[in-house]
Amino acid sequence: SAVISQKPSRDICQRGTSLTIQCQVDSQVTMMFWYRQQPGQSLTLIATANQGSEATYESGFVIDKFPISRPNLTFSTLTVSNMSPEDSSIYLCSVDKGQGDEQFFGPGTRLTVL
Amino acid sequence: RKEVEQDPGPFNVPEGATVAFNCTYSNSASQSFFWYRQDCRKEPKLLMSVYSSGNEDGRFTAQLNRASQYISLLIRDSKLSDSATYLCVVNPRGSQGNLIFGKGTKLSVKP
């Protein structure tokens, strides 16, 4: 597995503001992903963070709302833009080390939007 | 039909019990299958992959039935520390990144 850290671990934000979440991996990885887990729900993939190119978004998620960066093979950021209370969720990054399609998750960022 | 369906539970069992969870998936072309464990307020952690021939890891046994499109997880001799939510996960397209998560089955093991 990989050691994955996320910052911040939690935040409380005001409606209309934006929050950038960072994900750092201790080794180079092929694939990095961003998920959302809303209260009582399963994980939903937001996008795949591609190194050196634009992220690939899943249906229902758009770049304007969730811009993603991936400047290198160990780091990615997800921004939640123009937040509303419906964005209150846990946001998790995950990595695939390329040895199968298992994914390993960061500890998550718990976001509350007031 | 949801892509991945699980009985949400909760399953409340005494220590030492054997408990089984089932999961069904809708896409018959799905390639890879996993069980993850998620503790309260923590991230999901890979418990085991599920292979066509079935596989065992200590007290945990996973089975795949492709004909019926279901996956099972059997936990023998339950421990208090097994209390968690167990997530059934399917890769429907066989390519990296496309994991579909079930909502999870909650297990509570009591003394």
Side-chain angles (χ1 to χ4, degrees):
Chain A
S1 62
V3 177
I4 307 165
S5 60
Q6 283 186 235
K7 282 195 232 183
S9 59
R10 58 175 63 234
D11 208 340
I12 301 173
C13 301
Q14 295 297 319
R15 181 195 300 261
T17 62
S18 297
L19 176 72
T20 294
I21 302 167
Q22 299 179 6
C23 179
Q24 179 75 54
V25 191
D26 69 338
S27 58
Q28 293 186 343
V29 293
T30 311
M31 310 282 283
M32 292 181 79
F33 309 94
W34 287 99
Y35 286 83
R36 180 173 74 183
Q37 187 174 27
Q38 294 179 304
Q41 301 297 314
S42 62
L43 280 77
T44 301
L45 181 64
I46 297 171
T48 302
N50 301 308
Q51 195 265 329
S53 65
E54 204 167 274
T56 305
Y57 289 84
E58 296 298 306
S59 175
F61 297 97
V62 295
I63 188 171
D64 290 346
K65 176 67 176 177
F66 297 102
I68 286 171
S69 78
R70 186 159 178 210
N72 56 53
L73 293 175
T74 65
F75 185 78
S76 179
T77 68
L78 168 76
T79 299
V80 186
S81 304
N82 188 25
M83 288 184 283
S84 66
E86 291 72 34
D87 295 319
S88 297
S89 187
I90 300 171
Y91 292 86
L92 298 122
C93 69
S94 74
V95 306
D96 181 328
K97 296 208 73 177
Q99 296 166 348
D101 48 4
E102 302 95 341
Q103 292 181 19
F104 301 94
F105 286 84
T109 296
R110 186 176 294 271
L111 171 62
T112 302
V113 184
L114 303 178
Chain B
R1 183 179 176 183
K2 292 181 183 174
E3 290 194 77
V4 178
E5 287 200 74
Q6 295 181 250
D7 182 340
F11 284 61
N12 297 309
V13 303
E15 266 188 295
T18 296
V19 61
F21 307 137
N22 289 329
C23 163
T24 58
Y25 59 94
S26 60
N27 188 335
S28 61
S30 296
Q31 300 292 315
S32 308
F33 310 89
F34 310 95
W35 284 101
Y36 277 73
R37 170 194 170 128
Q38 187 171 26
D39 291 280
C40 187
R41 304 177 81 85
K42 299 285 189 180
E43 74 274 20
K45 293 186 176 175
L46 179 66
L47 180 66
M48 59 199 305
S49 302
V50 187
Y51 303 118
S52 295
S53 54
N55 48 302
E56 187 173 310
D57 183 2
R59 298 181 294 107
F60 299 84
T61 301
Q63 297 274 354
L64 168 63
N65 184 321
R66 286 191 183 271
S68 301
Q69 292 177 218
Y70 82 77
I71 307 147
S72 65
L73 177 68
L74 183 77
I75 305 176
R76 290 181 298 278
D77 189 22
S78 299
K79 311 290 185 193
L80 296 176
S81 58
D82 293 334
S83 298
T85 297
Y86 290 84
L87 305 173
C88 176
V89 183
V90 174
N91 182 336
R93 285 179 260 176
S95 59
Q96 290 173 323
N98 294 299
L99 298 186
I100 307 297
F101 285 76
K103 290 180 72 171
T105 298
K106 187 170 182 180
L107 172 66
S108 181
V109 181
K110 306 289 188 186

